[in-house]
Amino acid sequence: MAYLTKEEEEMLAGKHGEAKRLSMELLVKAVDAYKAERLIPIASCHLVLSFQKTSMKAGLEIAERFVELGAKCAVPTSIDTSSMDFERWEEFRFPKDFAEDQFRMKKALEGLGAIPTWSCVPYQGGGIVPRFGEHIAWTESSTAPYVNSLIGARTNRVGAYEDLASAVTGRTPYYGLQLDEERLGKILIEVTTDLTHGDYNVFGTWLGTLVETKVPVITGIPVEEVTSLDLRYMGASGAATGSLALYHMPGITAEARTVEEAFGGRKITERVEFGPDELRKTKEGMNSIPSGNIDLCVIGCPHLTIEALVDLANKVKGKKVKVETYALTNKVAKDMAIEMGVAQVIEDAGIKLNTGCCAWSPVELCGFPEHFTVMTNSGKQAWYTPSLLTLLRPGKVDVMYGDVDECIEAACAGKFEGRY
Ligand code: F3S
């Protein structure tokens, strides 16, 4: 392979150990598959192999084998969500054999020297904050749009196993969003309707299905009102319904200060409007049923950071939920919430802080009826719930989407009255 550096050639030849040889073999195949030019060094990595529900036994065996081979992360590497809360898994009724596998995965990843962030917002969970322009290899649909767009770091949506190979070698294929050209805008999206904070999930859901792999340039977002939390939800929703990994919002995101700059001075050939009709129809489509009783309410996909936990505490103070309700967060945010007293307020309302855990955790194994209904404030979760919460046990799951206020109201009433 003419493009390999001397060190990379040595890794491929096994001179730096079997784990690096296996990893380099995988990366060389990835270079071919992506038609990449070569490999490039990376500054950091984020691993999604952590999620036992989808890694299953095969993922676990690979992670443990790498530990046996003496592999270590060559660059700072954070860990994505777990499939369960490591401290409260029994309270959440996870089966023991599943929990044992998830604990083995924890031991293996931490044995590789990865940072135990256990979060899909690792940049706010004690993990790594990349810098503008830095080449990194990060997995997980909610992280890539954020670090590419808001920070201006460069990552493709790296898949499981490739992430491990990158962590161990400190390399990633040089293609896609690592390249200047591929980061330019391809489609203009004009938002012509007012958006509430919750509506960013709806906009992201619509955006993902529309743009597929094209980089959108978005106008019409009020700079003074939109929050980084709104954009986290928007990016995660768009990455779930499509392949959104980078967007430009001139004046808000990191890379392009004007629409012209976002398109690299090229002519705009595609332009689509997001107006009140698109907002209403998309929101309607995010519900598999329009109203009804709920069995589980989940808030915090992506994970709630400390400011979101404070906001949640303010909203639920003095209220009491009637159905099982989880607030997903990471350990760093939870510890701060405990110190600030807001964790107690949330728990007093009957909402359980579910730490390090993903919205796709195997709740279908946790004692819910064969046909159950989930209420969520996340576009990403609304999209995946009907398929992913039946993965390990056949059945049917309905989903209803609402903003945080609607979720709290529904959880306190035990049902969502709908809005149409
Ligand atoms: Fe995070 Fe899992 Fe949602 S990784 S974005 S909580 S689906």
Side-chain angles (χ1 to χ4, degrees):
M1 253 66 66
Y3 61 81
L4 292 179
T5 63
K6 187 163 180 295
E7 191 189 358
E8 289 161 1
E9 265 177 13
E10 284 179 6
M11 285 195 241
L12 189 61
K15 289 191 184 158
H16 297 271
E18 180 61 4
K20 286 202 183 191
R21 189 194 69 72
L22 285 167
S23 300
M24 194 49 80
E25 204 174 286
L26 184 149
L27 290 175
V28 164
K29 285 185 180 149
V31 165
D32 280 352
Y34 301 137
K35 299 191 179 20
E37 206 180 287
R38 59 188 165 92
L39 295 168
I40 46 161
I42 49 167
S44 66
C45 202
H46 181 65
L47 290 178
V48 83
L49 190 63
S50 52
F51 189 60
Q52 191 54 44
K53 180 171 178 176
T54 48
S55 287
M56 300 189 178
K57 294 281 185 196
L60 186 55
E61 276 172 28
I62 290 170
E64 289 182 335
R65 178 89 181 105
F66 266 53
V67 175
E68 276 167 31
L69 292 171
K72 287 284 174 200
C73 296
V75 290
T77 299
S78 49
I79 305 178
D80 204 67
T81 52
S82 159
S83 288
M84 63 178 204
D85 183 319
F86 289 114
E87 284 171 10
R88 299 176 83 173
W89 64 273
E90 282 173 302
E91 198 183 322
F92 289 117
R93 307 181 298 277
F94 285 100
K96 196 158 179 284
D97 54 346
F98 182 87
E100 278 167 5
D101 283 353
Q102 183 64 72
F103 274 113
R104 278 172 59 191
M105 179 61 91
K106 180 177 191 297
K107 191 169 168 214
L109 295 182
E110 292 173 4
L112 294 170
I115 304 162
T117 41
W118 300 101
S119 182
C120 48
V121 292
Y123 43 85
Q124 288 198 343
I128 304 147
V129 183
R131 70 159 168 77
F132 182 89
E134 199 165 60
H135 296 287
I136 58 176
W138 281 37
T139 53
E140 213 287 301
S141 50
S142 75
T143 64
Y146 192 89
V147 295
N148 271 320
S149 312
L150 274 291
I151 296 177
R154 298 184 168 210
T155 185
N156 288 300
R157 285 177 54 173
V158 179
Y161 309 120
E162 188 187 322
D163 57 356
L164 184 60
S166 286
V168 166
T169 59
R171 304 289 194 283
T172 196
Y174 189 44
Y175 79 107
L177 296 179
Q178 303 289 357
L179 306 169
D180 290 345
E181 166 68 25
E182 298 294 324
R183 298 181 69 85
L184 293 176
K186 302 283 183 306
I187 179 170
L188 181 68
I189 306 293
E190 295 168 309
V191 177
T192 57
T193 184
D194 290 340
L195 298 176
T196 65
H197 293 297
D199 287 342
Y200 282 88
N201 278 286
V202 185
F203 175 49
T205 299
W206 173 88
L207 187 65
T209 52
L210 179 90
V211 301
E212 298 173 346
T213 55
K214 286 177 253 173
V215 175
V217 179
I218 303 164
T219 62
I221 300 291
V223 182
E224 314 73 30
E225 286 165 30
V226 66
T227 65
S228 68
L229 183 63
D230 297 338
L231 297 177
R232 269 206 297 281
Y233 275 105
M234 187 200 95
S237 304
T241 61
S243 297
L244 187 71
L246 166 67
Y247 56 89
H248 301 293
M249 277 180 189
I252 296 170
T253 51
E255 222 157 271
R257 286 157 298 178
T258 63
V259 170
E260 293 69 34
E261 202 176 304
F263 282 96
R266 291 182 189 160
K267 194 168 169 244
I268 300 167
T269 54
E270 205 177 349
R271 178 187 297 260
V272 182
E273 191 180 313
F274 182 78
D277 276 357
E278 285 76 18
L279 179 66
R280 185 183 49 75
K281 279 187 205 146
T282 308
K283 202 184 278 185
E284 207 173 316
M286 290 164 73
N287 303 272
S288 65
I289 49 173
S291 58
N293 291 339
I294 58 176
D295 299 288
L296 172 66
C297 179
V298 182
I299 298 169
C301 160
H303 276 176
L304 296 169
T305 47
I306 185 60
E307 80 273 25
L309 286 171
V310 170
D311 181 53
L312 180 63
N314 288 336
K315 287 178 191 300
V316 300
K317 195 167 187 168
K319 295 183 177 160
K320 198 83 188 168
V321 296
K322 277 196 184 144
V323 296
E324 190 135 358
T325 303
Y326 304 153
L328 305 177
T329 187
N330 58 50
K331 190 163 168 17
V332 170
K334 180 187 157 188
D335 287 349
M336 286 190 279
I338 291 171
E339 264 191 55
M340 292 172 75
V342 297
Q344 195 60 53
V345 175
I346 293 169
E347 294 271 339
D348 285 348
I351 299 173
K352 293 177 183 161
L353 287 175
N354 196 336
T355 310
C357 186
C358 175
W360 301 353
S361 70
V363 288
E364 65 269 39
L365 303 180
C366 298
F368 289 97
E370 212 170 286
H371 181 177
F372 64 107
T373 301
V374 176
M375 179 97 192
T376 173
N377 76 321
S378 157
K380 179 176 177 181
Q381 195 189 357
W383 182 261
Y384 283 127
T385 285
S387 55
L388 275 169
L389 295 194
T390 50
L391 195 66
L392 302 182
R393 186 199 66 176
K396 186 170 186 317
V397 183
D398 278 308
V399 65
M400 290 184 285
Y401 165 79
D403 62 21
V404 182
D405 292 300
E406 287 172 317
C407 282
I408 294 166
E409 201 182 313
C412 289
K415 61 182 178 201
F416 183 50
E417 302 285 3
R419 57 175 91 73
Y420 308 109

